[in-house]
Amino acid sequence: MSISFNWIDELVGLRGELSDPQGLAERLTMTAAAVEKVETVGARLDGIVVSRVLETRPHPNADRLTLCKVDRGAGEVLDVVCGAPVIATGGLYPHVAPGGELPAGFRIESRKIRGELSHGMLCSEAELELGRDKGGIMRLADGLEPGAPLAPALGLPDTRLTLDLNPNRVDLACHVGVAREVGGLPTPRDFGGAAWTPEWRDGESEAGGAGVTVRIEDIDRCPRYMAAVIRGVRIGPSPAWLAGRLLAVGVRPISNVVDATNYVLHEYNQPLHAFDLARLSGAEIRVRAAVTGEPLTTLDGQEHKLAPEQTVIADRDRAIAFAGVMGGLDTEVTEDTVDLLIECASFDPSGVRRTRTRAGLSTDASYRFERGIDVHAQERALARCVELIVATAGGEADLIGLRAGPAPAPVPPIDVRVSRVNQVLGFGLGGAEVRAALEPIGFKALSAGEGGAAGDGGAGGNGATDVLHISVPGWRTDIAREIDLVEEVARRVGYDAGAGQDRRFRPSAVPADPRVEKAARVRELLTARGLLEARSLSFMPEDFRGNRAVVPVPNPLSAEESCLRSAMVPVLLRRLEHNYARGNRNVRLFELGTVFAYAAGAGPAEEADGTGRFEESGRVGGVITGTRRPDHWSGPALDYDLWDLKEIAGSFADRLCGAMLVPFDDAVARDATESGASLAGPWLSRGGFRAVKDGRVVGVAGVVDEASLDAPPWAAPAFGLEFDLAAVEGRSVPAYRKTSPFPAVRRDLSMTVPRGVPAADIEGAVREATSDLLRDVRLFDVYSGEEIEGGRLGLAWTFRFRAPDRTLTDQDVESEMSALSTALEKRFGARIRRS
Amino acid sequence: MTPAGASLLDRLAAIEGKGLAAIGEATDSATLESARVEYLGRNGQLADVMSLIGTVEAQARRDVGQRANAVKTVLRGALEERAKALESAVRGPRARIDRTLPARERWVGGVHPVTRVIDEICEIFAEIGFTSVLGPEIESTWYNFTALNIPLDHPAADMMDTFYLEKDVVLRTHTSPVQARVMEAFRPPVRVVVPGLAYRRDSFDPSHAPAFEQIEGLAVDEGVDFVEFRAAIEHFVHHFFGPGTKTRFRPSFYPFTEPSAEVDVSCTVCANGCSTCKRTGWITIMGSGMVDPAVFKAVGYDPERYTGYAFGMGPARIAMVRHGIPDMRLLYEGEMSFLQQFA
């Protein structure tokens, strides 16, 4: 939203800190609406003057150029070559003389253009940095003297403030609104013409007079339609002061009539539309739902096929405008227009939204209608527009005005308790302070009974009672409740009021979610193993749509994001591929996130709100590939292998979940977890490990299948793991176990066992066969070769024994060793190698 | 002096000379040790002489003894010095290894910069009594919109901006629905922060992501007012952005708070005017306000009895400001060289 500083100043006479644009911007930002940008409009126009084109003739050597004789005032007449299509003889245009400069710093010199000498140039709005319009030379209205400097004629330079309006403060989308906010009630400019005070023809849904009929066919979509008729206008450029105002707020001047409607829009916030009355068939206006397939070409030249959800303005035969959005091309005001119908209506916000959304349009008018206009100020806005048109385009306004639709209901006053204001704000305000905050911006404290306020016996707002009855001005469509006024008070008093007070500490009655701590434990364990945390979007590509459990997104942004992720590893593999594309061979990533699935067995009606059909659960995914540590000159670093993965997954299972990591070989891994989303995916088709807790699979790990990963030839094997976050346990507090001050005794043992005996079984048997003197079992070599008989495998173990209370004797250790040797020989047919 | 005494003094002189030479010539600790044994050892030359002192006539005995002790002190000193010299030759500055060679490094893991921001925010609010809670990402339109005073025909509920899974089911567009869930489940005093993902149909570009982190905060009790709200936010700002950071509250609009406030902090990057703060000197870090009574009504709290405040922040944007990350997409690419910078 653009606001002209000069315009506000003209309305209220800005004083003190507000007399500086930066000061005004600061005030608005801190009390009403953030000012995003403060910029000068029409700076550096020093060399530009008003000039009159005395005569024109075609350029002899170029079709698209015109030779103009230009009067710069004081008898100075220059030849100027001009590239614009239409230059009116006798018209006024901005001119920059040789030696002058355009605002962008471009210096103008006399030069030959296709053999004809040109002294300076006639300028477009874009060249003067007053607008985006590059097409034509900027036409100025009559009434200016050739030779007059351009900038003062246009009321420039000015400062444009760009406001980022909060959606509830549409009243600040106009100059009167901003003026009210910062300086009390404004005095609009006097156009110097007669006031238009029509005789109104009213009707519940239809009104006739002034030679036209207005009919509302759908009162819900259009509660009110007002119209004025002006006959005999002369279309031409707007006076410079008016054009300058529009340029200052970034609106392109078009013609006196269109500019007048735009001026009143920016002054009073009321969207208005001027129809060429001669083009309205049947001289009638109908507001109705569009008919399916009905055509409408809007002002911007777009052709639309309409739908019944859209609301249109129609004449007897056809749709001529989108209601509250944009006019149609057929009935627009052109140079030939003589008679006008000015529309001043109010349209239902959601109807306007439907109309414009389907049409793919968004306009100044729709913006305001969608947020709510001041329906009590419509007569004033229409009169304002009529007066301005008559003052700038001549013509005569019909003394009959049309009003279809019921008069708007008065805004009910609101009771505000001073105690409530203080309960919410804590500023410690009195009734007089609350009044003083509200009244300068149009609210009024009523006395009891006035304005329909529910009286409680007290005089309104004199501080005697807690309750103030506050009347709400029509432009504050956002104020409906007591709390809305509390906010008004806070804004007006200042959000920094009531400083220097202490407040007590309050504990929370809400316990912390245990998942937060679980996630922290996961991060600790995985980062300690050199993994980096990634975060990716929670979506998966279309390929997964076929999967029954996978939840598709009905309105995805792209095919890449058309499903919700059902597992973490596949998403991380895409991150891995991204790293491959950047040439990274060593990748160690993990991610904590949510996976989604359809709930097993739950029907759509099972939960009242429909979320029961879906299931989401916390997951941890990880991928590692490449070298175990950075390369070093002392020797090559080895790549991660299955045993590194087993350590990470094993630690995760054991330390975080209290789960056992066990191998599995299934070609296709399908795990019956409680969640509908499977932990394992196709990437695990080569088997790997499962973490099992209480008979339930809580995690998987393994080599990533080649088919699941687009890896370059130089990539190392990749490993993945995925765990259910719910299986991670909270932090436990370990109890101290006494450490032994006595030395440990180490014994190595070599043996051969038949191939196929799992090492874990041997270790289990060792622990079973020995007492608690055995403190540590470690496999330090696995060998096969010529010295080992066929079908057997050599294993070498180290055992450590230690007692908490004494030094072990040889005898102690020997008896443990012989017990475990015997057990292994018996159970597995182990052959112990005695050295 | 008797011949016996004189000859012992001669021998001592010889021991001193040869001993010093042997010590001086020793180039490793083994040679040095054998020199020590030869001259100062239990059966060494000096001990040999000293064992003969008894045979010397009484008046010369003292001279010989003193001389022997002096030799012993000299040799011991030399021995010690040489030992130190040898040691420093091994470990000392003139060793042959090039210690500018690179160290044997290890991979360093680490959490995501956005996680770090989230954790810090939660910790700072924990100091003033806030607990961390979570909520579902698939949410009903009731919790996501209606309970928060957002009518379903509000632009925020539009198909254009919201991922609808079904008519009444959405991917939550903010973490605010957890406000309603917490209040339904617990009675005041409520003080929670809610980190989590939210979803909006924004295309993935330098400043938007269709899925992004958010942190919600909610405090409700009797007597919680705007002054208390401001104090809590200022506590956070001072701990997160530094004690010198200024905070300002300015009017805003959210359907579920009133009064609503936008919270700006003084730009941490520049003195006054840079691209991070768009030349304003201020960076907006959160939307916030006093909980709207309509929300209390929707969850069954008495709006006359309880008041409270709520706020929401985008940790990804805060991480971008904090680290000077120019493009939001970098956060979600999982590129190793990016993540390593924050490990």
Side-chain angles (χ1 to χ4, degrees):
Chain A
M1 190 50 51
S2 296
I3 293 295
S4 145
F5 177 82
N6 289 354
W7 197 338
I8 300 295
D9 188 36
E10 180 187 275
L11 287 168
V12 288
L14 294 168
R15 282 189 297 276
E17 58 184 29
L18 300 182
S19 62
D20 168 49
Q22 287 295 347
L24 178 62
E26 174 77 12
R27 168 74 66 84
L28 286 170
T29 297
M30 296 311 290
T31 65
V35 175
E36 284 181 325
K37 207 153 78 173
V38 177
E39 62 193 319
T40 307
V41 180
R44 301 185 303 275
L45 292 176
D46 297 343
I48 320 292
V49 301
V50 177
S51 72
R52 188 183 298 281
V53 173
L54 300 176
E55 57 176 87
T56 62
R57 59 190 171 90
H59 191 291
N61 306 322
D63 288 347
R64 269 179 280 175
L65 298 179
T66 311
L67 302 183
C68 308
K69 276 219 180 309
V70 169
D71 174 9
R72 269 180 62 92
E76 190 184 4
V77 176
L78 300 173
D79 288 319
V80 179
V81 176
C82 181
V86 187
I87 295 290
T89 306
L92 296 174
Y93 299 92
H95 180 256
V96 55
E101 263 184 20
L102 290 176
F106 186 69
R107 199 174 170 79
I108 302 298
E109 301 293 355
S110 296
R111 63 188 183 106
K112 274 197 172 167
I113 299 174
R114 294 278 186 112
E116 296 289 332
L117 205 57
S118 179
H119 301 288
M121 66 186 274
L122 300 177
C123 311
S124 70
E125 284 160 21
E127 283 154 352
L128 298 177
E129 297 192 343
L130 292 176
R132 283 185 292 271
D133 186 25
K134 296 180 208 147
I137 302 303
M138 183 177 175
R139 175 83 191 263
L140 302 167
D142 288 347
L144 299 173
E145 284 303 312
L150 178 69
L154 292 170
L156 301 175
D158 194 353
T159 305
R160 180 189 298 162
L161 281 68
T162 306
L163 269 53
D164 177 15
L165 291 186
N166 291 318
N168 58 331
R169 291 305 306 275
V170 67
D171 64 297
L172 296 176
C174 69
H175 287 76
V176 163
V178 172
R180 278 190 296 242
E181 182 66 41
V182 297
L185 296 177
T187 319
R189 168 191 276 261
D190 180 8
F191 300 141
W196 185 64
T197 46
E199 178 192 325
W200 290 106
R201 293 285 159 82
D202 289 298
E204 278 303 295
S205 63
E206 184 175 326
V212 294
T213 313
V214 166
R215 188 160 75 243
I216 302 170
E217 294 185 2
D218 189 334
I219 202 85
D220 291 334
R221 295 189 186 196
C222 175
R224 203 137 208 251
Y225 196 101
M226 299 168 36
V229 170
I230 306 174
R231 297 179 201 273
V233 296
R234 256 189 61 223
I235 306 298
S238 289
W241 69 264
L242 174 49
R245 279 275 183 270
L246 295 182
L247 289 169
V249 296
V251 173
R252 188 165 72 93
I254 295 166
S255 69
N256 41 18
V257 168
V258 175
D259 293 353
T261 61
N262 283 332
Y263 183 89
V264 176
L265 173 78
H266 285 275
E267 188 183 41
Y268 273 107
N269 241 10
Q270 172 67 48
L272 300 151
H273 187 69
F275 292 100
D276 184 335
L277 183 55
R279 319 272 312 206
L280 299 186
S281 64
E284 66 176 77
I285 290 282
R286 298 163 59 195
V287 188
R288 59 165 169 84
V291 176
T292 308
E294 187 176 9
L296 173 64
T297 303
T298 40
L299 281 174
D300 55 1
Q302 277 193 70
E303 291 171 24
H304 302 270
K305 283 258 171 290
L306 308 188
E309 77 211 45
Q310 297 180 302
T311 312
V312 294
I313 312 300
D315 59 14
R316 191 186 57 204
D317 305 326
R318 63 203 167 133
I320 55 170
F322 275 129
V325 183
M326 191 182 274
L329 198 58
D330 272 359
T331 52
E332 85 168 319
V333 172
T334 66
E335 282 182 16
D336 308 323
T337 301
V338 178
D339 298 339
L340 304 170
L341 182 138
I342 311 295
E343 164 194 297
C344 176
S346 81
F347 299 106
D348 167 53
S350 53
V352 170
R353 197 163 140 243
R354 282 196 305 273
T355 303
R356 71 130 183 110
T357 306
R358 199 187 150 87
L361 292 169
S362 178
T363 62
D364 283 343
S366 67
Y367 174 88
R368 287 166 177 82
F369 282 123
E370 281 181 59
R371 286 160 181 80
I373 57 161
D374 180 0
V375 293
H376 298 274
Q378 288 189 287
E379 280 87 352
R380 189 172 52 203
L382 181 56
R384 194 83 184 127
C385 184
V386 170
E387 289 158 14
L388 183 50
I389 289 174
V390 172
T392 61
E396 203 169 316
D398 199 293
L399 290 177
I400 299 220
L402 307 179
R403 279 194 304 212
V411 186
I414 297 171
D415 284 357
V416 182
R417 292 162 295 165
V418 175
S419 59
R420 176 65 168 169
V421 172
N422 288 319
Q423 182 193 13
V424 174
L425 301 180
F427 294 171
L429 301 173
E433 287 166 288
V434 170
R435 271 184 75 158
L438 293 174
E439 293 196 323
I441 52 170
F443 296 98
K444 210 172 148 236
L446 306 171
S447 49
E450 194 187 336
D456 71 343
N462 61 9
T465 67
D466 189 34
V467 183
L468 299 178
H469 313 300
I470 302 291
S471 76
V472 179
W475 60 84
R476 291 307 301 271
T477 52
D478 59 317
I479 305 289
R481 301 176 299 160
E482 182 184 35
I483 194 71
D484 298 333
L485 286 171
V486 172
E487 179 174 74
E488 288 304 293
V489 172
R491 276 195 319 111
R492 299 287 299 170
V493 173
Y495 272 15
D496 54 354
Q501 304 181 66
D502 288 330
R503 291 292 183 265
R504 69 182 178 87
F505 178 83
R506 302 168 194 270
S508 181
V510 185
D513 193 307
R515 286 176 288 180
V516 174
E517 190 194 42
K518 290 178 178 188
R521 295 192 74 201
V522 168
R523 291 194 174 98
E524 228 167 77
L525 184 119
L526 294 177
T527 56
R529 281 159 180 76
L531 276 72
L532 290 160
E533 185 187 17
R535 284 177 173 266
S536 36
L537 306 183
S538 319
F539 303 104
M540 296 196 305
E542 205 155 29
D543 338 347
F544 291 88
R545 277 201 167 219
N547 189 327
R548 204 174 36 82
V550 171
V551 178
V553 179
N555 54 344
L557 283 160
S558 72
E560 277 306 292
E561 292 152 7
S562 70
C563 297
L564 293 179
R565 66 183 168 200
S566 61
M568 299 302 289
V569 168
V571 174
L572 283 169
L573 292 178
R574 304 292 84 77
R575 301 297 99 217
L576 176 53
E577 285 163 358
H578 173 83
N579 276 285
Y580 285 152
R582 298 287 175 93
N584 300 335
R585 184 177 179 274
N586 302 321
V587 180
R588 303 162 309 282
L589 296 174
F590 75 97
E591 182 170 358
L592 285 145
T594 308
V595 298
F596 305 87
Y598 282 114
E606 202 144 301
E607 283 209 17
D609 65 13
T611 54
R613 281 198 66 199
F614 305 95
E615 217 169 55
E616 53 180 273
S617 42
R619 283 283 178 82
V620 187
V623 292
I624 56 169
T625 182
T627 59
R628 280 175 204 162
R629 42 192 325 152
D631 275 329
H632 191 246
W633 51 269
S634 61
L638 296 176
D639 284 339
Y640 280 121
D641 62 21
L642 195 64
W643 314 114
D644 297 302
L645 174 73
K646 189 179 181 186
E647 190 280 328
I648 298 172
S651 299
F652 198 112
D654 177 45
R655 289 161 176 257
L656 299 187
C657 308
M660 283 269 294
L661 198 68
V662 294
F664 77 101
D665 302 311
D666 304 10
V668 178
R670 284 268 172 266
D671 297 291
T673 61
E674 277 169 19
S675 139
S678 171
L679 276 165
W683 63 273
L684 202 53
S685 66
R686 289 168 60 180
F689 303 102
R690 268 184 190 132
V692 181
K693 182 183 179 181
D694 305 328
R696 202 168 74 84
V697 175
V698 297
V700 293
V703 189
V704 174
D705 184 75
E706 294 90 342
S708 305
L709 178 66
D710 186 7
W714 42 260
F719 302 90
L721 62 89
E722 179 142 356
F723 276 79
D724 185 1
L725 190 61
V728 174
E729 294 167 348
R731 235 176 263 282
S732 61
V733 182
Y736 164 74
R737 280 179 303 145
K738 193 172 183 297
T739 56
S740 173
F742 298 97
V745 178
R746 172 185 153 153
R747 285 282 189 280
D748 290 351
L749 191 66
S750 276
M751 66 183 74
T752 66
V753 292
R755 279 180 185 275
V757 174
D761 290 3
I762 297 175
E763 188 180 330
V766 166
R767 290 189 187 277
E768 235 169 75
T770 49
S771 74
D772 57 5
L773 294 179
L774 178 69
R775 281 301 165 84
D776 190 28
V777 180
R778 206 153 279 276
L779 181 67
F780 69 88
D781 200 5
V782 178
Y783 51 98
S784 53
E786 282 176 18
E787 72 272 27
I788 311 288
E789 310 113 276
R792 295 184 75 83
L793 190 68
L795 300 174
W797 301 84
T798 292
F799 306 110
R800 251 170 231 282
F801 301 93
R802 179 178 259 182
D805 53 351
R806 65 200 164 89
T807 302
L808 291 176
T809 63
D810 277 353
Q811 216 172 2
D812 292 326
V813 177
E814 281 319 316
S815 89
E816 295 285 340
M817 287 300 291
S818 88
L820 73 86
S821 302
T822 311
L824 296 183
E825 282 162 351
K826 269 199 188 154
R827 200 157 149 202
F828 305 111
R831 292 187 201 135
I832 311 294
R833 300 178 131 200
R834 319 255 168 214
S835 49
Chain B
M1 194 175 277
T2 61
S7 91
L8 279 186
L9 286 176
D10 288 346
R11 276 185 65 186
L12 282 171
I15 288 169
E16 184 177 17
K18 284 185 193 162
L20 284 175
I23 288 167
E25 282 158 17
T27 52
D28 55 47
S29 56
T31 331
L32 189 65
E33 176 61 11
S34 59
R36 187 191 68 80
V37 172
E38 174 65 27
Y39 296 97
L40 291 167
R42 207 182 294 172
N43 301 310
Q45 293 195 28
L46 195 61
D48 199 23
V49 171
M50 288 177 89
S51 69
L52 296 174
I53 289 176
T55 65
V56 177
E57 61 277 31
Q59 64 272 41
R61 204 178 289 166
R62 212 181 107 166
D63 289 347
V64 176
Q66 277 178 352
R67 178 78 179 123
N69 275 330
V71 170
K72 193 173 175 180
T73 307
V74 167
L75 289 181
R76 272 194 181 159
L79 194 76
E80 229 169 87
E81 208 167 290
R82 189 66 193 154
K84 268 190 199 155
L86 286 178
E87 198 175 333
S88 77
V90 173
R91 298 200 214 137
R94 264 163 294 166
R96 264 172 235 119
I97 300 164
D98 173 8
R99 269 149 301 119
T100 65
L101 285 169
R104 180 176 292 118
E105 291 174 339
R106 39 189 303 167
W107 299 131
V108 177
V111 301
H112 195 279
V114 173
T115 303
R116 192 154 291 176
V117 168
I118 291 171
D119 286 352
E120 281 178 38
I121 292 172
C122 291
E123 277 161 29
I124 292 167
F125 279 102
E127 289 166 10
I128 51 173
F130 285 71
T131 45
S132 296
V133 301
L134 306 174
E137 292 174 28
I138 292 180
E139 193 53 280
S140 66
T141 49
W142 161 260
Y143 282 113
N144 196 74
F145 299 122
T146 316
L148 297 170
N149 199 30
I150 307 172
L152 288 177
D153 63 356
H154 190 273
D158 201 292
M159 282 280 286
M160 293 296 291
D161 306 313
T162 305
F163 289 111
Y164 276 85
L165 298 181
E166 288 188 347
K167 188 175 170 289
D168 300 329
V169 183
V170 297
L171 290 174
R172 66 178 176 192
T173 59
H174 44 187
T175 44
S176 309
V178 186
Q179 284 187 26
R181 289 182 171 275
V182 165
M183 286 192 277
E184 279 183 348
F186 298 95
R187 306 301 303 169
V190 164
R191 279 168 98 75
V192 293
V193 281
V194 190
L197 279 183
Y199 299 83
R200 283 183 203 167
R201 282 190 82 242
D202 281 328
S203 50
F204 204 18
D205 69 23
S207 48
H208 298 91
F212 56 96
E213 294 80 5
Q214 211 177 47
I215 288 194
E216 189 78 9
L218 175 73
V220 179
D221 200 359
E222 288 178 31
V224 176
D225 56 24
F226 198 87
V227 169
E228 183 169 328
F229 152 61
R230 240 171 26 206
I233 300 305
E234 276 166 5
H235 165 88
F236 162 71
V237 168
H238 288 158
H239 284 75
F240 189 89
F241 294 98
T245 314
K246 285 185 290 223
T247 314
R248 70 176 193 184
F249 297 76
R250 54 184 176 80
S252 185
F253 176 80
Y254 298 98
F256 41 99
T257 52
E258 183 148 22
S260 299
E262 216 73 2
V263 179
D264 298 345
V265 297
S266 51
C267 183
T268 50
V269 179
C270 70
N272 199 355
C274 67
S275 61
T276 304
C277 62
K278 294 180 197 143
R279 309 195 170 276
T280 61
W282 296 96
I283 299 169
T284 303
I285 56 155
M286 64 169 84
S288 60
M290 302 302 291
V291 178
D292 194 291
V295 176
F296 286 144
K297 256 182 224 158
V299 300
Y301 275 18
D302 178 0
E304 288 293 315
R305 180 172 171 197
Y306 295 114
T307 47
Y309 57 88
F311 54 87
M313 281 182 269
R317 276 182 212 278
I318 292 175
M320 288 169 71
V321 170
R322 176 188 246 194
H323 300 291
I325 299 165
D327 188 326
M328 187 173 270
R329 290 171 294 191
L330 293 166
L331 294 171
Y332 304 108
E333 280 177 344
E335 160 110 29
M336 292 297 286
S337 55
F338 174 84
L339 296 172
Q340 258 153 355
Q341 298 175 30
F342 311 101

